[in-house]
Amino acid sequence: MPTPESEAFLAKKPTVPATFDGVDYNDGPRLKAAQDAVIKEQWVKSMMARLVRDELAKCYNREGVNHLEKCGKLRERYFQALKESKVRGYLFEQQNYIPGQEDPKGQDQVSAGLKQPEGQIATIPAEVAKRRGDDRL
């Protein structure tokens, strides 16, 4: 049976998704909430990798010489978790946001043509540049 969540826990629980999709950059509190959600999501992935690593260490010690056969699933799971476990921060995602792309791997594309080809840098739309007062495009 799950433990009921307290009022204090619910107050700290993020209410926005861990993406900058639909965030107005002039709205400070919503921007800060999106930044916090991105950081918290990265920390959760990092802690999950730590838990898998601990289980892999226990399996390695328990199985001894048979660890290659017995701990293979945990090893593969740990390798997958290592790819996503680094806490990178939010600045890159915030400054290089492409609308419709929620997954960094490019799996959840909403509109065709929004995915940047490999090696190219995302550019900002002209109306955003005008709003910032930036003449470079």
Side-chain angles (χ1 to χ4, degrees):
M1 185 161 109
T3 307
E5 297 175 339
S6 67
E7 295 294 326
F9 178 78
L10 290 175
K12 292 182 181 181
K13 196 172 184 179
T15 57
V16 296
T19 180
F20 290 100
D21 190 21
V23 175
D24 181 18
Y25 289 99
N26 294 327
D27 186 10
R30 288 203 57 212
L31 179 62
K32 184 65 178 163
Q35 291 170 348
D36 288 345
V38 167
I39 293 291
K40 285 179 183 178
E41 186 67 28
Q42 291 174 3
W43 271 104
V44 165
K45 288 180 182 177
S46 179
M47 293 299 115
M48 289 298 291
R50 180 185 289 183
L51 291 173
V52 173
R53 183 190 66 207
D54 292 343
E55 288 300 316
L56 181 62
K58 288 178 188 175
C59 180
Y60 178 80
N61 289 330
R62 182 179 60 239
E63 298 300 332
V65 295
N66 295 328
H67 70 87
L68 291 175
E69 295 175 8
K70 305 286 184 173
C71 306
K73 290 181 182 177
L74 278 174
R75 183 180 60 239
E76 293 302 319
R77 194 167 158 203
Y78 182 57
F79 285 149
Q80 290 299 319
L82 274 180
K83 292 179 183 176
E84 319 172 330
S85 68
K86 185 172 180 179
V87 178
R88 299 175 307 278
Y90 57 83
L91 283 179
F92 180 79
E93 292 179 32
Q94 180 178 339
Q95 293 171 351
N96 298 302
Y97 174 70
I98 301 171
Q101 180 181 352
E102 294 182 16
D103 189 37
K105 297 174 188 142
Q107 294 174 349
D108 298 326
Q109 294 293 326
V110 173
S111 303
L114 288 178
K115 185 177 178 184
Q116 293 292 325
E118 194 71 32
Q120 288 189 358
I121 299 173
T123 58
I124 57 175
E127 62 269 6
V128 174
K130 287 179 186 175
R131 199 171 46 212
R132 287 188 191 171
D134 193 1
D135 295 338
R136 304 167 297 171
L137 283 179

